[in-house]
Amino acid sequence: MTGLAIVVLLSLGRHPATGRPRRNPDDARALATALALAATRSGSRVLAVHAGDPRAPVLRDYLGQGLDELTVLDMPSGSDPLPSLREHLVALSPDLLLTGQRAENGEASGLLPYLLAEALGMTLVPGVVGLDLQGDQGRFTQALPRGRRRQIEARLPLAATIPAGTAGLPLPSFAAARRGRIVSLPALASPDPHLVAIERQPWRQLPRPQPRRLKGSAIDRLKSMTGGGEAKGRLLVDPDPETAAAQILDRLGEIGLIRASHQSVTSRDTDGRTER
Amino acid sequence: MSRPRLDPRALRLARQVEGGGKRPRFALKADPPALHSRRRDPRLLRMRALVPGARRPRYDWKRDAASGAPSAVPAVDPVPANEPIRVESPAFWVLAVLDQSTGALDETDLQLLSVARRLAGDEGGVVALALADPVLATAGADRLAVWPASAVDPAAAEARAATVQALVESVKPRHVLCSDDPVAGGDIARRLAAKAGLRLVSAVNSLTADGRIGRRAGDETWLQPAPALMTIMPGSFAADEQALREARPLELPPIAFEAARLANIGLLPVDPESLPLDETDFIASAGNGVTDFAAFAEAAAALGATRAGSRVVCDAGLLPRDRQVGASGTVVTARCYLALGIAGAPQHLQGITGVRHVIAVNTDLHAEMIKRADLSIIADAQAVMPALARLARQRQEKP
Ligand SMILES: Cc1cc2nc3c(=O)[nH]c(=O)nc-3n(C[C@H](O)[C@H](O)[C@H](O)COP(=O)(O)OP(=O)(O)OC[C@H]3O[C@@H](n4cnc5c(N)ncnc54)[C@H](O)[C@@H]3O)c2cc1C
Ligand SMILES: Nc1ncnc2c1ncn2[C@@H]1O[C@H](COP(=O)(O)O)[C@@H](O)[C@H]1O
């Protein structure tokens, strides 16, 4: 097995409630994944890159996760990181690019990994919570909504976006944070042209949206949407237990919640959550 | 006596209403009382609004009520309610790319369609790119493009993006809307943005009256004109009721797509008990009416449901605190909630406002939970749970 060049992108986070700078949880998880993967493949290198201010204190927390060196493309905050990152990454030509799913500052559209993967000709897998590499074949576990997990296979070079998940952030160690080095490279700063036409207002919580109702036969539309609807609001008084159970199972079948896969429920947990 | 004599027969004839069907119908208040009478007479108003000649009584409230005569516009038969609205060549199109992650239209899809509809307004038309579903016509779609077979595979994200790109090039929609789910619609939108060089505006959560869109950025709201490509924050918009539309099939253009680079291995089985309550899709919940917790665990396991409980149960230490549903517990959004022996206190019901299907088992016919449920069973939970477990296991073994 040859070593891998793993690039991980780190951005500055922002606590959603207090607004204090912090590690972006997605990126911290991506860094932890990169470090764990490099430890299993000898000769692998983790190249961490941040585009922004090299003096930001939060960067030390990333180093504290066990990172020896962090490259910072020096540019004022608020400028578009894409051109410099693209140039830097093309020169590195990594086997694997790990990023967070979404930034916590600025545009935060989650588009950057896609643009970089496109520029580097990498296959992109979103929402990765587990990965396993055999040679140049990667097997990824994707987190789907509602706690489902899907496995996907693809070949290197690969880019993967990583969600923070519900497990807590890896804690930074103070010693590692002191030991790690920040290497700053000059980079060209281009203002983000798209953010000009935007009107900014203070955020306020919007009221819960209420659906607009049409006049007329709501019942008919409801029926057509629920496919008949006559079974809605069914009431069974004192059925025998078997009938009751059969009714419940039939309803669950209609909703599509009973699947055959439940026979083989195993306690597989890719998110590191503890089993009960 | 100066009063003229009444001729009952003539009066009767004058008061006969046309189109009364087989039996003759009479309007007893045929001669309207003084116009300036202060009191509003609903029956009279109704009578005046009655359109003559219709087989079934039909009312036109816009008729000049004061004169009692039909309005100048002859009462044309309005479009029957079940006739869809047809849009031939709208000023512009809005493309809604649906996830249908459960295989059917779910709440997020309906929300997306209703944003699309609002952006389209009266002049625009909505194209839905979706799995075929008859409900789409009632959800606001004027045209329906069905995903090609190559794009249906869960791993075929690249093919889906190529499909959207081809559709965008042929239909040239003014706006393209995707869900914000980072592994579904959000993924498609980003691939499309990267491929076609479009600017993506993500997590849109509001639409202003002047047609601008808003989204959250830190402690600011950013407002801008609706862009070409956006993803819609789930839960920020309500699924409006829509008038019936055509959902006319739309031919997909040929799709230029290289070989797929992602291969699907399949879903991993997930232990429902390992999921946090706000993530799981199916919850079996026990209340004070459940005494046999072994049978409860057995039934939940057989159904593949995540266990939860009311506060009473968690207070008693019968389930861990993170399994409590309600205002002071977890607010859940599962697709189905099976409530066993739960009364349905307001604090509990607050936790399940986002649940679509509720099944209740309770001995009390008048419990609030029974009113909330769409399938209610008045029976002893202790008897139903073992039967449920047994039957569920049986049904699993059979096929
Ligand atoms: C500030 C505050 C916050 C609260 N927050 C929460 C919260 O987050 N979550 C929460 O759940 N509660 C909460 N509560 C408590 C809540 O008000 C109720 O007390 C609680 O929900 C009642 O739980 P229960 O329905 O399980 O029990 P009960 O009210 O005792 O109801 C038991 C039900 O089981 C039925 N039953 C009895 N025997 C059987 C049987 N053999 N088979 C079938 N059914 C049977 C009964 O008819 C009854 O309807 C809160 C209260 C307060 C004051
Ligand atoms: N300035 C930056 N420097 C390094 N990485 C970044 C930067 N901005 C964004 N990223 C990475 O790109 C991901 C998605 O960012 P975004 O597209 O801005 O939402 C983040 O989670 C980071 O991993």
Side-chain angles (χ1 to χ4, degrees):
Chain A
M1 271 203 301
T2 50
L4 295 171
I6 307 170
V7 166
V8 47
L9 294 186
L10 305 174
S11 63
L12 300 186
R14 176 180 187 290
H15 195 282
T18 62
R20 281 172 61 100
R22 63 164 184 181
R23 283 174 292 164
N24 177 340
D26 287 11
D27 295 356
R29 173 76 43 215
L31 176 58
T33 311
L35 291 171
L37 190 65
T40 63
R41 292 260 290 228
S42 58
S44 298
R45 293 167 299 150
V46 173
L47 308 155
V49 184
H50 167 68
D53 179 8
R55 284 166 299 277
V58 174
L59 296 180
R60 287 271 152 207
D61 287 347
Y62 286 122
L63 291 173
Q65 283 181 243
L67 185 64
D68 300 326
E69 191 178 295
L70 169 59
T71 305
V72 178
L73 307 177
D74 191 352
M75 61 178 71
S77 67
S79 38
D80 185 4
L82 178 68
S84 336
L85 278 176
R86 182 167 47 206
E87 194 182 324
H88 188 71
L89 292 199
V90 167
L92 290 176
S93 77
D95 301 303
L96 196 59
L97 171 65
L98 300 183
T99 71
Q101 201 157 271
R102 199 171 280 195
E104 287 190 309
N105 277 306
E107 179 86 20
S109 60
L111 193 55
L112 189 72
Y114 285 80
L115 293 170
L116 289 173
E118 184 74 23
L120 296 170
M122 293 172 138
T123 311
L124 187 140
V125 190
V128 170
V129 290
L131 83 177
D132 184 18
L133 284 180
Q134 301 291 335
D136 70 342
Q137 184 81 12
R139 184 176 272 222
F140 295 84
T141 308
Q142 265 184 323
L144 307 184
R146 302 243 155 251
R148 287 169 302 145
R149 299 276 185 271
R150 185 196 292 141
Q151 287 204 308
I152 287 218
E153 253 175 9
R155 271 179 200 290
L156 296 177
L158 282 162
T161 69
I162 297 187
T166 42
L169 285 192
L171 287 179
S173 114
F174 182 67
R178 294 269 317 239
R179 213 167 34 237
R181 276 176 303 131
I182 288 179
V183 179
S184 161
L185 301 176
L188 75 155
S190 44
D192 196 335
H194 296 281
L195 297 186
V196 185
I198 289 176
E199 183 194 330
R200 290 153 195 250
Q201 291 178 351
W203 161 255
R204 66 190 161 77
Q205 186 68 46
L206 296 167
R208 200 170 141 177
Q210 293 299 327
R212 301 178 181 188
R213 303 247 172 257
L214 294 174
K215 289 194 217 94
S217 55
I219 284 288
D220 293 346
R221 278 190 305 276
L222 188 72
K223 273 190 185 157
S224 67
M225 299 197 55
T226 50
E230 51 275 3
K232 271 244 162 210
R234 271 200 83 178
L235 179 69
L236 270 77
V237 181
D238 272 334
D240 63 276
E242 299 297 325
T243 320
Q247 283 287 336
I248 294 176
L249 287 176
D250 288 348
R251 174 54 63 89
L252 293 175
E254 277 166 32
I255 303 171
L257 278 168
I258 309 196
R259 293 172 296 244
S261 66
H262 282 138
Q263 302 162 21
S264 57
V265 169
T266 52
S267 303
R268 242 71 164 241
D269 197 356
T270 38
D271 229 354
R273 267 195 298 273
T274 47
E275 290 291 332
R276 206 178 328 275
Chain B
M1 264 200 1
S2 55
R3 225 175 99 194
R5 282 188 62 182
L6 294 177
D7 176 359
R9 282 212 199 121
L11 268 180
R12 214 172 127 84
L13 219 63
R15 286 174 182 179
Q16 184 161 5
V17 181
E18 278 179 279
K22 281 191 209 128
R23 293 195 300 152
R25 289 171 99 198
F26 301 97
L28 292 183
K29 277 203 179 166
D31 14 41
L35 280 180
H36 301 295
S37 129
R38 285 263 201 69
R39 287 191 47 194
R40 198 175 150 268
D41 180 352
R43 271 202 215 135
L44 183 67
L45 290 176
R46 218 176 140 78
M47 202 192 75
R48 281 176 179 164
L50 185 71
V51 178
R55 197 147 45 79
R56 291 194 298 154
R58 176 171 284 159
Y59 299 97
D60 175 8
W61 299 107
K62 290 209 191 76
R63 291 207 311 175
D64 186 2
S67 74
S71 50
V73 195
V76 215
D77 249 16
V79 188
N82 53 2
E83 237 352 78
I85 299 174
R86 284 175 213 287
V87 176
E88 280 313 323
S89 47
F92 61 93
W93 289 106
V94 178
L95 173 60
V97 180
L98 304 186
D99 284 351
Q100 290 161 304
S101 51
T102 56
L105 280 193
D106 62 17
E107 203 59 27
T108 354
D109 299 313
L110 294 176
Q111 289 167 9
L112 190 79
L113 278 166
S114 103
V115 180
R117 199 61 263 161
R118 279 167 71 178
L119 284 170
D122 291 335
E123 287 108 65
V126 171
V127 184
L129 178 56
L131 303 169
D133 191 325
V135 171
L136 277 164
T138 57
D142 294 302
R143 298 285 186 279
L144 167 63
V146 177
W147 290 110
S150 60
V152 174
D153 182 78
E158 293 159 316
R160 279 193 287 278
T163 308
V164 180
Q165 192 174 2
L167 197 57
V168 165
E169 275 156 18
S170 75
V171 175
K172 301 204 167 34
R174 186 182 286 181
H175 310 292
V176 180
L177 277 62
C178 295
S179 85
D180 199 55
D181 182 350
V183 292
D187 182 48
I188 298 173
R190 292 186 180 98
R191 283 179 200 273
L192 178 65
K195 272 238 157 22
L198 284 172
R199 182 70 174 189
L200 168 73
V201 175
S202 71
V204 168
N205 64 14
S206 60
L207 205 57
T208 61
D210 58 354
R212 289 186 304 167
I213 56 105
R215 71 205 145 111
R216 183 177 184 176
D219 50 10
E220 287 177 335
T221 298
W222 288 5
L223 291 167
Q224 66 189 95
L229 176 61
M230 55 190 126
T231 68
I232 305 297
M233 193 77 163
S236 300
F237 296 91
D240 296 337
E241 276 181 12
Q242 305 289 354
L244 189 65
R245 295 195 175 251
E246 271 186 290
R248 189 195 301 171
L250 185 73
E251 198 70 31
L252 272 180
I255 295 150
F257 173 60
E258 338 84 74
R261 293 186 288 180
L262 296 169
N264 186 27
I265 306 296
L267 286 176
L268 280 181
V270 175
D271 177 11
E273 286 292 304
S274 70
L275 295 175
L277 276 191
D278 50 1
E279 256 192 42
T280 178
D281 220 9
F282 179 21
I283 296 177
S285 193
N288 211 9
V290 171
T291 48
D292 185 353
F293 273 79
F296 172 60
E298 172 61 23
L303 293 174
T306 308
R307 274 185 293 165
S310 73
R311 175 158 155 188
V312 182
V313 165
C314 296
D315 280 352
L318 294 162
L319 285 173
R321 182 60 74 198
D322 66 346
R323 300 280 120 176
Q324 178 188 324
V325 171
S328 55
T330 308
V331 175
V332 302
T333 53
R335 243 190 309 154
C336 179
Y337 190 75
L338 172 59
L340 298 156
I342 299 180
Q347 294 91 349
H348 190 85
L349 291 180
Q350 268 172 36
I352 59 167
T353 47
V355 177
R356 184 168 268 207
H357 303 280
V358 175
I359 304 178
V361 179
N362 201 311
T363 43
D364 176 9
L365 179 58
H366 303 288
E368 282 301 315
M369 190 55 93
I370 296 292
K371 291 181 195 147
R372 170 71 173 79
D374 37 44
L375 173 63
S376 311
I377 290 171
I378 312 299
D380 184 356
Q382 269 56 245
V384 174
M385 289 186 301
L388 200 52
R390 203 165 347 108
L391 209 60
R393 298 250 185 249
Q394 258 175 31
R395 289 200 185 182
Q396 269 168 18
E397 276 153 25
K398 230 182 278 161

